[in-house]
Amino acid sequence: MSSVLNGLGVGLNAVVAEVFHVAPTAALPAWSKTSSGVAAESEILKSAIASVSADLDRLGSNSDETSAEIFEALKYLLEDESLFDMSVAHLDAGWSAGAGYGMAVNEFSEMLAGDAAFEERIADLQDISKRVQASIAGIHVGLDLPATGAYVIVGDDFSPADTAQFTPAVVGVITVKGGPTSHTAIICRSRSIPAVVSVAGAHEIPAGTSVLVDPVGDRVVVGGSLSDATQALAFADTGREPLIEVRANVGSLEDAEAAAKTGAVGVGLFRTELLYLNESSQPSVDRQRDLYASILAAAPEGPITVRTIDAGSDKPVPFLKMPGEENPALGVRGYRLIQDHRSFIEDQLKGLEAARISTGREIWVMAPMIATVQEAAEFAALARSLGEFKVGVMVETPSIAALLPDLAGIVDFISVGTNDLSQYLFAADRMNPSLGALLNPWQPGLIRTLERIASQAKAAGIYSSVCGESASDPAFAVLLAGLGFDSVSASRSQVDAVRSALAAVSADQAVALAKLVLAAKSAEDTKTAAVAALSAL
Amino acid sequence: MSTYETMIQVIDPIGLHARPASLIVKAVKESGLTVMIGRQGEKLTKANSPLMLMALKIKTGETLTVSVESDDEESAANLVAQIRDFLQG
C-alpha cells in the first residue's frame, strides 16, 4: 500500500524510515490566585527554577558548542535575581508561583520590547516562562525523542528549543505547518536532514509506518522506497553563458566578498537596512559613504542594484522612530518612511552617490514598497536629482503590478520581490506558519502575475528582474527566463546552481517550459511540468 | 568602605546586550562587591540582574557610570577593568 501526501520539500536527499509522532505539549493551566501563602509559593517557584535549570544543563551537555552556549544564556535569564524578586511581589499579592513568574516575565518582555537587539531574548524569556510554568503544573515539555535507531519525526512545527533536542536518530522530518522559510526548514537545510513541511494530514500516518521523505518531489510517500524518490535535477556543464544574467543578493561586506567568488554578474539586491540596525543615531553622509564604498568595492563585477531602506515597525531601525502598528506588513514601511524621514532617505542616496564616485561602480537604485505610479515618479525624480543612477522600483504590491504600462519613461528597471508579492497577492501573512502552502512560488496565481509583469515591462521598455527567494531555485529561474525576465538575483550560495541551469537551456526551451507551466492549474502541477520539461532536456 | 566611580564608554556594536550583561553580573557576583551601573547622570541600577541591565537599553557609544563599593582599591580596579573589557564587544 502506498499513498502520497504533498508538501514543500527541504533539501535534495530522500530518506526512508519509520514515523515517530512527537506528542503535542499539553496546555498550561490558566493563571490563578491561591491561599497557600507567599512563603510556600516562593519555595515552589525556587524548586521549579532549579529543576528547569537542571533540564537546561542536560540539554546543553548533549549538544554542540553553539547550542550549549544558547542554553547557558537561557540559564542566566532563568535565574535572574530581579526576575525572581518581581515574581515574589506577585506571589505577595496572592498569585500562584507559575502565574507570578509568568507575569514578571511579561513585565520584562515589555521593558525590552521595541529594540531589535532584544527580540530573540524576549522569545527566550517566554520559552523559559513556559518551561517554569509547565514544571510547576507537572506538564512535560521535552520532545522525548529516541536516542538510537532511525526515525522520521512528525509534528505541527518545531521551535528552536525543539530542534536543539533533535537526536542522531532523527533522519527525516515532516511538519504539518510551516513554509519554506520556517525555522524547521532552515535548520533541516543546514543540517542536511531531509524534510517536507506544510504536509496536511501528516498526523494521520500511523506511528511505526515506514515512509519515504522525498523533498525533491515535495511529497511524503507512505510505504515508499528509496527507488521511488524523485531525482534532483542535474545540469550538464555546457560551457555556455546563462540565458539571462544571474546576479547575487547581498546585505553585508561578508556577503559581497563571498558573492564575488561566485559566477554572479553584479548584485541584483543589496539590502541596505542591515547596515543601520546597529546604529543608535542616524549616521552622517560621510559614514554612509564609507560603509557603502567598502561593500561596492568588494561586490562581484557588474551593476550593483541597491534597495533603499526597507524597514518597518516589525523590522525597526533604532534611530528612526517607528511606532508599533496593528499590521506591520501593511503599515509604514519601505519607501513609505519618506513621510516622516525624508532627510534620511536623501542622505542614503547622497552617501551612495559619493561611494559610486569613489569606487567607480555602476549603481542602480530602487525603492521598496511602491504602490502607485506617483510614488515611483517621486522616487525617480529624487534619486536622479541626487546621483547618476539607473532608477527603478520593487514590484511587491499587487497595485503596482497592475500599473506597469504606466511606468514607461518613469523608471529604467523593475525588480520583483516574490516573497512580499506572494504575501500581498494571496493575503497570506509570511509570518503565519499555517499559510506556508499559499506562499509556495509555484502557485499558478503568482506565476501568471509574473508572466504579465514580464511581458508588460518589455512592452514598456523597462528592464525587468526577479530578486525574491524563488529566483534561487534553478528550475524556477529557468521559468523566469522563459516568462521574459532580463535577469534574476539569487542567494549567494545558489548563484552557481542557478547559472548552470540557465546555461543548460536554450531560449526556445525556456519559453516552451514557461508555456507548459502557465497551462498548469495547481502548485503541484506547475512544478511537475517544469521538472518534467527540464528532465527531458 | 569607599566608593570608586568610573566612566566607561560602550564600544560593543550591539550595545549592552544579553551577553555582556550576563558576563558583568557573573563577574560582580564572583567579586562579592556591590556594583551600581547606569547612564551618566541618571539613577544607577544594582548590577546583580542581567535583565535589569538589558532593560537600560544602553547603545553603542553611550557612556556609563560604574560605581563599586569596596575596601580595597585594587579589587575594585580589577573588576572595573573586567567590566570595561565586556563592553568592548
Side-chain angles (χ1 to χ4, degrees):
Chain A
M1 184 223 63
S2 78
S3 68
V4 173
L5 302 172
N6 291 308
L8 298 171
V10 175
L12 295 175
N13 300 316
V15 70
V16 171
E18 282 180 21
V19 160
F20 181 93
H21 287 281
V22 174
T25 307
L28 294 171
W31 291 346
S32 60
K33 295 222 172 185
T34 166
S35 54
S36 53
V38 59
E41 290 298 311
S42 298
E43 281 313 309
I44 292 174
L45 181 55
K46 254 187 212 158
S47 74
I49 290 174
S51 130
V52 172
S53 176
D55 285 346
L56 293 175
D57 280 342
R58 200 163 37 76
L59 286 171
S61 65
N62 289 339
S63 45
D64 56 64
E65 203 172 316
T66 316
S67 304
E69 271 182 31
I70 294 172
F71 291 115
E72 177 81 21
L74 286 178
K75 265 185 68 176
Y76 277 113
L77 300 178
L78 170 73
E79 295 170 346
D80 191 284
E81 280 183 24
S82 294
L83 183 56
F84 186 79
D85 292 346
M86 276 163 67
S87 310
V88 171
H90 293 300
L91 306 188
D92 230 359
W95 290 99
S96 65
Y101 194 78
M103 289 170 178
V105 161
N106 283 354
E107 284 160 14
F108 266 112
S109 299
E110 262 170 47
M111 283 159 73
L112 296 176
D115 189 325
F118 292 135
E119 250 162 51
E120 285 177 28
R121 298 295 83 75
I122 294 175
D124 289 346
L125 272 173
Q126 293 296 343
D127 180 52
I128 284 169
S129 173
K130 273 193 205 126
R131 285 169 186 271
V132 169
Q133 293 178 58
S135 164
I136 292 167
I139 295 170
H140 192 73
V141 287
L143 291 185
D144 283 332
L145 296 172
T148 57
Y151 296 93
V152 171
I153 62 164
V154 177
D156 252 4
D157 198 6
F158 298 106
S159 72
D162 294 336
T163 55
Q165 297 176 54
F166 282 7
T167 60
V170 176
V171 296
V173 171
I174 303 172
T175 65
V176 175
K177 295 181 174 175
T181 55
S182 66
H183 177 78
T184 308
I186 290 165
I187 290 292
C188 289
R189 201 173 287 126
S190 79
R191 296 205 206 154
S192 300
I193 301 174
V196 182
V197 300
S198 200
V199 181
H203 284 314
E204 268 48 72
I205 310 171
T209 314
S210 171
V211 296
L212 165 71
V213 177
D214 181 11
V216 176
D218 287 320
R219 60 184 193 156
V220 173
V221 182
V222 179
S225 69
L226 274 181
S227 58
D228 301 328
T230 314
Q231 292 306 307
L233 290 168
F235 297 98
D237 182 5
T238 57
R240 286 198 302 247
E241 274 300 294
L243 195 54
I244 56 175
E245 279 181 357
V246 180
R247 300 182 179 172
N249 295 345
V250 306
S252 63
L253 181 57
E254 187 207 348
D255 279 349
E257 286 168 345
K261 297 195 180 88
T262 68
V265 176
V267 167
L269 172 63
F270 175 0
R271 303 181 167 99
T272 56
E273 51 280 359
L274 298 176
L275 303 181
Y276 301 103
L277 292 180
N278 295 332
E279 301 280 340
S280 51
S281 58
Q282 182 168 330
S284 66
V285 172
D286 284 353
R287 177 159 162 71
Q288 296 191 57
R289 175 198 61 207
D290 294 347
L291 283 170
Y292 286 125
S294 63
I295 296 177
L296 297 184
E301 300 231 354
I304 299 167
T305 308
V306 182
R307 179 175 70 188
T308 56
I309 194 137
D310 191 18
S313 60
D314 54 337
K315 197 161 69 164
V317 166
F319 55 87
L320 301 178
K321 299 279 170 282
M322 296 180 190
E325 293 172 298
E326 191 88 3
N327 271 315
L330 305 180
V332 180
R333 58 185 309 115
Y335 184 68
R336 296 172 181 180
L337 288 167
I338 203 157
Q339 295 168 4
D340 291 329
H341 303 287
R342 173 171 290 274
S343 76
F344 173 71
I345 293 179
E346 287 178 358
D347 280 3
Q348 201 185 4
L349 290 165
K350 286 178 195 163
L352 208 47
E353 171 65 1
R356 183 191 70 78
I357 293 168
S358 74
T359 58
R361 300 293 304 252
E362 177 183 351
I363 306 297
W364 300 17
V365 293
M366 62 180 179
M369 204 65 184
I370 293 287
T372 67
V373 174
Q374 287 70 34
E375 285 171 348
E378 186 189 274
F379 173 72
L382 177 68
R384 291 198 177 102
S385 73
L386 295 174
E388 280 180 39
F389 308 118
K390 274 203 181 182
V391 178
V393 293
M394 294 280 292
V395 175
E396 298 162 299
T397 62
S399 64
I400 203 71
L403 292 166
L404 278 167
D406 293 2
L407 292 176
I410 292 176
V411 296
D412 301 311
F413 73 97
I414 55 153
S415 184
V416 184
T418 45
N419 305 356
D420 272 333
L421 181 58
S422 285
Q423 153 163 279
Y424 299 129
L425 202 53
F426 290 83
D429 188 340
R430 280 169 68 181
M431 298 298 154
N432 188 323
S434 303
L435 302 177
L438 290 175
L439 300 167
N440 180 352
W442 293 96
Q443 283 287 356
L446 176 68
I447 292 173
R448 292 188 202 179
T449 305
L450 290 170
E451 192 271 332
R452 211 179 59 229
I453 292 171
S455 65
Q456 294 188 344
K458 191 158 286 173
I462 298 169
Y463 179 99
S464 63
S465 177
V466 173
C467 64
E469 284 298 318
S470 64
S472 296
D473 172 348
F476 205 86
V478 172
L479 167 65
L480 293 170
L483 292 176
F485 284 97
D486 296 308
S487 70
V488 290
S489 190
S491 317
R492 57 180 159 100
S493 61
Q494 288 293 310
V495 165
D496 289 329
V498 170
R499 273 178 64 88
S500 56
L502 283 167
V505 293
S506 68
D508 289 346
Q509 285 170 329
V511 169
L513 176 145
K515 276 214 178 97
L516 289 172
V517 170
L518 285 168
K521 304 268 190 292
S522 71
E524 290 73 38
D525 291 350
T526 52
K527 184 167 183 185
T528 307
V531 171
L534 289 170
S535 314
L537 286 180
Chain B
M1 193 69 83
S2 355
T3 304
Y4 300 90
E5 216 172 83
T6 322
M7 303 295 168
I8 298 182
Q9 199 187 15
V10 180
I11 314 283
D12 190 302
I14 319 178
L16 179 47
H17 59 104
R19 190 174 164 76
S22 304
L23 290 171
I24 289 171
V25 169
K26 194 174 170 203
V28 166
K29 286 189 175 168
E30 281 168 3
S31 74
L33 302 174
T34 302
V35 178
M36 308 288 287
I37 291 182
R39 266 191 193 83
Q40 217 175 342
E42 289 182 14
K43 191 169 166 289
L44 302 184
T45 301
K46 195 170 172 203
N48 66 344
S49 152
L51 279 170
M52 288 304 262
L53 292 183
M54 285 157 68
L56 292 171
K57 295 190 175 174
I58 306 268
K59 292 293 162 195
T60 316
E62 288 198 64
T63 302
L64 298 184
T65 302
V66 177
S67 146
V68 183
E69 271 179 41
S70 172
D71 293 326
D72 165 16
E73 186 166 356
E74 196 185 330
S75 55
N78 277 341
L79 184 58
V80 166
Q82 281 186 60
I83 293 174
R84 190 185 300 279
D85 204 39
F86 297 146
L87 295 171
Q88 294 283 321

